[in-house]
Amino acid sequence: MWAANLATAPQCRQREGHLEVPRQHMETGVGHEHALGVFIAHHRSRKAKMAPQRVEELSTLGMRWS
């Protein structure tokens, strides 16, 4: 699940210029729709509990944490 959502985030960022997507946002990647908005919101609110590697992966993609 992590890898699938992480893979769709760059295409959304490239198209939109940011990852500030609404919670209900769905992103199509490799023929499947992924609940990218839920993924982003979930991880943004749980940054303090996430592994540093995952925080870095999202930060590299351009995640705004606040």
Side-chain angles (χ1 to χ4, degrees):
M1 185 69 100
W2 171 265
N5 280 298
L6 200 63
T8 61
Q11 73 184 25
C12 179
R13 178 158 169 64
Q14 183 177 10
R15 185 183 62 250
E16 302 294 329
H18 55 79
L19 287 176
E20 299 290 323
V21 295
R23 188 170 179 83
Q24 68 273 13
H25 178 76
M26 300 295 287
E27 188 73 25
T28 302
V30 192
H32 293 60
E33 282 201 330
H34 300 276
L36 186 62
V38 171
F39 175 80
I40 295 291
H42 175 83
H43 288 89
R44 182 175 287 133
S45 68
R46 290 168 176 79
K47 179 184 178 189
K49 296 178 182 179
M50 290 172 55
Q53 178 185 351
R54 290 196 167 185
V55 172
E56 180 62 30
E57 286 179 285
L58 288 171
S59 293
T60 299
L61 293 174
M63 174 78 130
R64 291 187 190 161
W65 293 101
S66 55

